[in-house]
Amino acid sequence: MVKGAIHSVETFGSVDGPGIRFIVFLKGCNLRCKYCHNADTWNPQSDDMRTPEELLDFAERYRGYWGEDGGITVSGGEPLLQIDFLIEFFKMAKERGINTCIDTALQPFNEDRNSEFFGKFEELMKYTDLLLVDIKHIDREEHIKLTGLPNENIQAGMRYLSEIGKPIWIRHVLVPGITDNDEYLYKTRKFIEELSNVEKIEVLPYHSMGQHKFEALGIPYQLEGVESPTAERVANATAILRGEK
């Protein structure tokens, strides 16, 4: 049986999907976001390798906290890089009547419908109730500057999720001087309006809480000195993305 490379788990999460969630953070990510607060998940290697059954049995110890709305969220890193593990884990979770959610940037998505990944992604969606999807930056070149990679396949992935009617919550990190720009925000809104499956839009204010992880890993932190956006700018971005101004 396939094993997942685990970074850590959080047994009582309240902001990563509906209700109270058991959150699994998987190892590995291809993006190199300048504001990443989990840079220690980039390396795909882990000393904590678990089968889907082992992880699910452990998660169910906390099922009493979940209530009717809660469940399991798999985050990262980028969980889609471990899609084989994720399929088995979520399939087993659904057999046990558990709500499933993926926190993803969709970077591994391959829109070639004959590709191996696409077939696996179709299978995974059978067992996935909700996706939390990060829009890093709407502009291709700015996305490359911010994350190291382009965004065409990410947007294609979001359009596919809209096509199949899979519910998503959109998250957008507001970074002064990078994403806190009305022109880009309106472009992001225009893209969101193309989608029919968006249930919620959240603006997350940038913070530097992950800087110490960069330093511990010996990676230069490129946003040193950048302040968090003001409450007014967060409200402005939220209003634009939700079509309220």
Side-chain angles (χ1 to χ4, degrees):
M1 181 178 288
V2 64
K3 289 188 176 183
I6 312 300
H7 173 268
S8 59
V9 300
E10 183 178 335
T11 59
F12 195 90
S14 60
V15 295
D16 293 286
I20 302 302
R21 317 293 298 182
F22 181 93
I23 306 169
V24 181
F25 296 91
L26 297 182
K27 291 293 297 291
C29 187
N30 293 332
L31 296 177
R32 294 294 181 262
C33 300
K34 293 180 179 178
Y35 56 69
C36 182
H37 59 277
N38 283 330
D40 50 340
T41 65
W42 291 352
N43 186 330
Q45 303 302 316
S46 176
D47 294 328
D48 185 359
M49 304 293 294
R50 306 191 208 184
T51 67
E53 186 172 17
E54 287 170 341
L55 185 59
L56 193 56
D57 287 346
F58 180 76
E60 283 209 271
R61 297 181 191 177
Y62 303 91
R63 191 165 184 167
Y65 296 114
W66 301 347
E68 294 184 1
D69 298 326
I72 294 175
T73 296
V74 179
S75 184
E78 172 50 70
L80 294 181
L81 290 177
Q82 298 192 51
I83 195 166
D84 292 331
F85 172 80
L86 205 49
I87 289 169
E88 294 304 316
F89 184 53
F90 273 11
K91 182 178 182 180
M92 195 174 294
K94 297 312 295 178
E95 289 171 352
R96 301 188 191 185
I98 298 171
N99 179 275
T100 57
C101 176
I102 303 172
D103 183 1
T104 175
L106 283 177
Q107 185 280 322
F109 185 79
N110 186 338
E111 62 182 314
D112 178 358
R113 303 202 174 193
N114 294 315
S115 67
E116 182 180 10
F117 178 90
F118 190 88
K120 290 180 178 181
F121 190 76
E122 280 188 306
E123 177 74 7
L124 176 60
M125 290 303 99
K126 296 177 184 177
Y127 316 117
T128 303
D129 293 309
L130 173 71
L131 295 95
L132 313 181
V133 182
D134 296 326
I135 296 182
K136 305 295 186 180
H137 206 296
I138 196 64
D139 181 83
R140 181 184 191 276
E141 296 307 316
E142 292 298 323
H143 193 278
I144 293 172
K145 291 178 187 177
L146 179 61
T147 73
L149 293 173
N151 61 357
E152 291 94 337
N153 64 315
I154 293 170
Q155 294 180 8
M158 296 182 73
R159 291 188 180 101
Y160 172 70
L161 291 171
S162 177
E163 176 187 324
I164 65 173
K166 184 62 62 176
I168 65 172
W169 292 4
I170 287 178
R171 291 172 156 183
H172 188 56
V173 178
L174 195 66
V175 187
I178 299 179
T179 58
D180 187 6
N181 175 302
D182 283 6
E183 177 186 353
Y184 292 136
L185 289 168
Y186 277 109
K187 287 181 178 179
T188 305
R189 168 179 161 180
K190 184 177 180 181
F191 173 73
I192 291 172
E193 288 174 343
E194 297 177 19
L195 310 174
S196 61
N197 58 334
V198 180
E199 293 189 343
K200 189 174 183 179
I201 299 170
E202 297 178 304
V203 173
L204 308 179
Y206 161 77
H207 59 73
S208 59
M209 291 174 62
Q211 182 173 351
H212 72 282
K213 293 185 179 180
F214 280 76
E215 294 169 350
L217 293 166
I219 303 170
Y221 190 71
Q222 299 180 53
L223 298 184
E224 188 166 1
V226 175
E227 299 291 335
S228 297
T230 64
E232 290 76 15
R233 291 304 297 174
V234 173
N236 172 74
T238 302
I240 290 175
L241 294 185
R242 292 179 178 174
E244 297 168 357
K245 69 176 292 185

